[in-house]
Amino acid sequence: MSSEEQKLVDTAGDYMYAVKGGTPVDDPQWRSCRLVMTDKRLVLANSSGKQALPHSNIEVVGEEELPASVDPAGATPMRIGDNVVLFDAADVSDFELEYCRATLHATVILTKHPAVVGGVIQDEATWRKTRFQLDDDVITLAFPGGEETTFAVDDVGTVETSEQAVMGETRTILEVEHTDEDDRSVETYFSGMDHHTTALQSLFERVIEEREGDYELDEIESQVLMALYSGVSPFEMSDFVGIPVDEVEEIYRKLLDVGAVDEVRTRTEVSLNAQGRNMASEAMNEQ
């Protein structure tokens, strides 16, 4: 390992080939190994030798990539060339998250920030090289000239993908909604090499999935959420949606219970949080 390479995880683990050379393995078996994650590669070592796998050759994938006969049992599937390999480590509580951290650690990606503010596209926003850092649960984006912006990864509301021209080349981009330092709803666009965008997508979508519950909004609750998302004051909600104040407050209590809003004051005032913005966005898409 070179002096410029940083070791981030070094632990005992297990791996299993579910697909090898593009063909499902008939009798997949777990094998023990030592797993080392650096900011450049994933190293797998056992009695047979050592494999150093650059992050650019690895893609975190979903369980749908596994043969139906393979139960991941909480392990993380990764595509490596024509192979799909499951990885697990007892001392790492969330292997996929730690791998995404390693892939993205202090790496330079492309961002457009803010690309959207309050639902309004910022025409003057341009793509810039940006150093990405995830420390604990806070993302820091460092731009040329010393400018920085930070936001909590748990504050991500929605993530969408699209294909766009980025610096003269068509790339996959992630459109990530979150709040900024001024508590505005903004969107930051991310792009880069394929393994960067897949790691970012996995990171952000896991945050959203872990936060989502099974609660289904009724029609009036959807209207209230969409109104909050559009900037309607909680105090104006009764007149805006045409229902009594006490019914609005009851809806706020339900939204507090499901984690869609945060309480600002003891009575009638709430603010939409990341989960609420995600629910409101889905409600709007269903209209």
Side-chain angles (χ1 to χ4, degrees), residues 107-111 128-132 190-192 196 200:
T107 194
V108 174
I109 58 175
L110 297 172
T111 64
R128 294 182 285 177
K129 290 184 178 180
T130 307
R131 187 166 295 279
F132 180 98
F190 294 89
S191 191
H196 292 148
L200 285 165

Side-chain angles (χ1 to χ4, degrees), residues 210-226:
E210 289 174 359
R211 190 173 57 219
E212 288 180 341
D214 296 327
Y215 186 79
E216 292 189 10
L217 299 170
D218 62 26
E219 183 177 351
I220 191 64
E221 290 167 349
S222 294
Q223 290 180 24
V224 169
L225 265 185
M226 288 187 288

Side-chain angles (χ1 to χ4, degrees), residues 158-184:
T158 60
V159 178
E160 296 183 3
T161 62
S162 63
E163 298 290 323
Q164 291 189 18
V166 180
M167 295 183 172
E169 182 179 348
T170 300
R171 295 174 180 262
T172 299
I173 72 165
L174 300 181
E175 303 170 6
V176 179
E177 187 276 339
H178 58 95
T179 54
D180 65 4
E181 293 89 340
D182 298 321
D183 204 31
R184 302 177 301 176

Side-chain angles (χ1 to χ4, degrees), residues 9 36 47 55 58 66 78 81 99 172 197 227 230 234 240 242 258 280:
V9 175
V36 178
S47 58
H55 293 314
I58 303 174
L66 298 172
M78 296 181 176
Y99 179 75
T172 299
T197 52
S230 301
F240 187 85
V258 300

Side-chain angles (χ1 to χ4, degrees), residues 95-114:
F95 190 88
E96 181 178 343
L97 176 60
E98 291 307 315
Y99 179 75
C100 289
R101 284 182 187 273
T103 304
L104 298 166
H105 182 77
T107 194
V108 174
I109 58 175
L110 297 172
T111 64
K112 184 187 286 188
H113 173 84

Side-chain angles (χ1 to χ4, degrees), residues 22 40 72 91 115-116 172 174 195 215 229 263:
K40 307 293 185 186
D91 294 335
V116 179
T172 299
L174 300 181
H195 67 286
Y215 186 79
Y229 191 78
E263 190 171 48

Side-chain angles (χ1 to χ4, degrees), residues 7-27:
K7 183 190 294 185
L8 303 172
V9 175
D10 188 345
T11 185
D14 299 287
Y15 72 99
M16 178 174 71
Y17 278 87
V19 176
K20 201 164 190 177
T23 302
V25 177
D26 290 333
D27 185 24

